[in-house]
Amino acid sequence: MTDSPRAPFRPSRRALVILILLALATRLLWVLWLHPPTAFVYSDMGGYVKRAVDLAEQGFVPGTRHLAWQAYGTHYLLGAILKIIGTQYLYAAGLFWGLMGAAAVPITYLLACRVCTRPWMPLVVGIAALCWYPNLSTSGFFLSEPPALFFGSWATLRLVILLQDGKGAWHAGIVSALAFTVRPQLALFFVLTVGLWLLVRKRPEVRARLPHVAIVGACLAAIFAFSMWRFHEHTGEWGGIAEAANANNTASRCHNPRTQVFANKRLFDRSHTIDDGRLIGIIPFQTRFKKVSHDSFLGMRPALGTKEKEFTVTVERRDGKSEVVPVKVGNGGWSIKFVGYIGDREIHRALQKLCVRETGLLEQLRYGLVNLTGLWIYNAQWPDSARHHKLFGRYAVASIWVFNLVILLPSLLGLGLALARARQNPGLAICALQLVGLFCVSAYFFGSIRLRTPYDVYAIILAVEGYGWIVALVRRKLGRAPVEATATSSTAASE
């Protein structure tokens, strides 16, 4: 990297057109023939489709609590498409999922033109984004990953443009708000980006001013307020966006791979397997529970132990009343079972406090490291690892190895370099902050290869930067001057 600020590279029109055409061809071939999303409507995909169909047919109905289970952006988007074209035309919605996956490729190339430090890097990044199997694969499922990739990369590009050119504040704000609806955890990234702007705002090459930041902030504040109101309308509670976060946090604090919930004590008493009741399973935890010894530093070590036992927890309700809830540790620590509603915030908080008390702070910190490493190891790329895994699972496994061997360490090097030189290249630092936000959220909840895939484009950009730094270092050691990017106004990219 160069220590002096540089103007963006002008995108190659030929490269951009070729990337667009190839992205369209591969993604449309994937969703229309090889891997249509309509052939994989089960589990999470079935949940998104059901919620979308309910929205399309019934509209917004307060009190429908299942609509508050997950972040709403994906099923709102899918529901809007089905409202327009008809719920019977689900294949057309699959086409839209493919188009989002295709659009992310040129967006990533344009982002690389804005932030990369050597002229050969943007094309390498664009080709890598085109060929990256995990993002191709998720285009064939009705999951949140394709819209998260599309809106997340688009928002990142617009924030970089706003920072560099001082243009498009409303554009950046609206797209950032849409990205938030799909991935509410991006809130941390937006906060970090404001902190970066405060650090670099006085530099002459930074043209984003306080009114621009205020516009983006207003868009995000508006969508956050709507999200809270929507959650309250469906659940009667304030202070949340998706109820799944309650169960996810219990799993992260207790390290139980599965949570099972029963409507009454009779069903609770009859449960003897990990498939009874309403359940939520954390696939990275399930994989690690099977493959890694609890004695290992990266093992699960469930907070409530591995022995079968039944006890009660006292739950303090908001109205001041207390409730005693039956709880059971089942199947060798594999599951925590209780009587109630699966998203009940007070029950989950009582369980989380119990687990933190049982483990102590140091063990919870270790849990955070274990959660984080789920982004890369002891994990499978679900749903490729489930149904039809014999057809596509091998490519998902190969992609995990490629990422870990080729991208992971260079991307961490690039991340460190980008943050260290944030004043010289704040645009690249914004890409690094996407990964920083992902790491923090994953350590607190859990890391998953599937949930990581929308962020892989930033890892690719930073990995290319890491390789560029290594090559420059070797050239210097050999006494050869490195080829650095030149910052001239003639190479500035048009918006």
Side-chain angles (χ1 to χ4, degrees):
M1 295 183 190
T2 177
D3 288 332
S4 59
R6 50 158 295 272
F9 297 112
R10 185 183 299 277
S12 165
R13 183 171 299 179
R14 176 181 298 178
L16 185 59
V17 170
I18 292 174
L19 285 173
I20 291 173
L21 293 177
L22 290 177
L24 285 171
T26 53
R27 272 59 180 176
L28 295 184
L29 181 67
W30 186 255
V31 301
L32 294 178
W33 181 42
L34 293 173
H35 199 290
T38 51
F40 300 88
V41 181
Y42 63 91
S43 190
D44 287 15
M45 294 76 74
Y48 281 120
V49 170
K50 182 183 186 306
R51 288 188 288 272
V53 171
D54 288 347
L55 279 170
E57 293 180 345
Q58 303 171 18
F60 183 89
V61 181
T64 49
R65 195 159 189 171
H66 73 278
L67 291 178
W69 177 246
Q70 289 177 302
Y72 63 93
T74 299
H75 60 259
Y76 266 44
L77 177 61
L78 183 56
I81 297 169
L82 296 178
K83 181 68 174 179
I84 294 171
I85 65 176
T87 56
Q88 69 272 30
Y89 298 114
L90 192 60
Y91 71 90
L95 175 65
F96 191 84
W97 249 237
L99 291 175
M100 286 192 292
V105 174
I107 288 173
T108 302
Y109 169 70
L110 294 174
L111 177 61
C113 289
R114 285 275 173 175
V115 305
C116 286
T117 58
R118 293 170 175 82
W120 56 269
M121 290 180 173
L123 183 58
V124 172
V125 169
I127 294 173
L130 172 69
C131 299
W132 191 235
Y133 173 79
N135 287 337
L136 169 67
S137 172
T138 54
S139 298
F141 296 102
F142 286 120
L143 289 170
S144 63
E145 278 65 41
L149 170 65
F150 171 59
F151 289 113
S153 58
W154 188 7
T156 304
L157 174 62
R158 294 310 311 185
L159 289 172
V160 170
I161 291 174
L162 178 62
L163 193 73
Q164 294 176 344
D165 299 348
K167 298 178 180 179
W170 283 107
H171 190 162
I174 292 171
V175 176
S176 295
L178 292 173
F180 174 84
T181 67
V182 180
R183 280 286 194 275
Q185 54 265 48
L186 284 174
L188 178 58
F189 161 70
F190 294 127
V191 171
L192 293 173
T193 301
V194 172
L196 174 67
W197 174 78
L198 291 172
L199 178 68
V200 303
R201 71 188 188 281
K202 294 183 179 180
R203 293 183 66 87
E205 67 274 10
V206 174
R207 295 174 182 172
R209 298 292 178 258
L210 182 58
H212 301 132
V213 176
I215 289 173
V216 176
C219 293
L220 289 170
I223 201 65
F224 182 76
F226 169 78
S227 302
M228 298 281 283
W229 171 82
R230 172 194 161 277
F231 184 84
H232 177 265
E233 290 297 296
H234 285 310
T235 67
E237 300 177 357
W238 292 100
I241 294 175
E243 286 196 303
N246 298 324
N248 290 340
N249 198 15
T250 294
S252 302
R253 303 284 71 77
C254 301
H255 266 201
N256 58 294
R258 183 165 289 188
T259 302
Q260 297 170 254
V261 184
F262 302 87
N264 54 60
K265 186 67 163 56
R266 180 180 59 85
L267 295 174
F268 173 84
D269 291 336
R270 292 172 56 185
S271 172
H272 297 290
T273 75
I274 61 173
D275 298 316
D276 299 329
R278 184 175 178 186
L279 56 88
I280 178 171
I282 308 299
I283 292 177
F285 287 175
Q286 294 176 171
T287 304
R288 193 180 298 251
F289 201 93
K290 294 177 182 178
K291 292 185 175 182
V292 185
S293 168
H294 295 330
D295 295 330
S296 168
F297 181 74
L298 293 179
M300 292 293 290
R301 301 182 196 172
L304 300 181
T306 58
K307 295 182 179 180
E308 306 278 330
K309 58 183 176 182
E310 185 174 337
F311 55 96
T312 60
V313 294
T314 302
V315 177
E316 300 295 335
R317 296 298 183 182
R318 286 179 306 240
D319 58 6
K321 296 180 180 179
S322 298
E323 178 183 349
V324 177
V325 175
V327 179
K328 184 187 297 183
V329 175
N331 306 97
W334 181 273
S335 62
I336 290 179
K337 309 178 182 185
F338 65 84
V339 177
Y341 171 64
I342 195 168
D344 191 304
R345 183 185 307 177
E346 280 77 24
I347 294 178
H348 281 292
R349 283 181 176 174
L351 290 171
Q352 291 156 22
K353 289 179 180 178
L354 174 62
C355 290
V356 171
R357 186 166 64 247
E358 290 292 323
T359 59
L361 178 60
L362 288 180
E363 182 67 354
Q364 286 293 321
L365 291 175
R366 191 193 69 84
Y367 275 11
L369 178 61
V370 171
N371 298 345
L372 175 63
T373 59
L375 292 171
W376 310 293
I377 58 175
Y378 300 126
N379 200 346
Q381 186 178 319
W382 189 88
D384 275 345
S385 59
R387 300 183 189 178
H388 304 284
H389 68 276
K390 293 183 179 179
L391 292 176
F392 305 106
R394 69 190 72 176
Y395 306 112
V397 171
S399 298
I400 293 171
W401 281 98
V402 169
F403 187 93
N404 290 342
L405 294 176
V406 179
I407 298 176
L408 177 55
L409 291 180
S411 70
L412 295 178
L413 172 62
L415 185 151
L417 293 169
L419 295 180
R421 301 177 180 180
R423 291 180 180 273
Q424 289 73 40
N425 192 347
L428 186 61
I430 287 180
C431 295
L433 292 180
Q434 279 279 19
L435 292 189
V436 171
L438 171 66
F439 294 167
C440 292
V441 171
S442 298
Y444 187 77
F445 288 101
F446 61 90
S448 164
I449 290 174
R450 168 195 151 196
L451 298 177
R452 190 205 70 208
T453 55
Y455 299 84
D456 284 351
V457 291
Y458 315 114
I460 290 170
I461 290 173
L462 294 168
V464 170
E465 288 289 333
Y467 280 119
W469 183 86
I470 293 171
V471 170
L473 178 64
V474 171
R475 291 172 66 91
R476 283 196 299 270
K477 294 294 185 181
L478 296 176
R480 300 170 63 184
V483 180
E484 296 282 0
T486 58
T488 62
S489 58
S490 62
T491 62
S494 57
E495 182 174 343

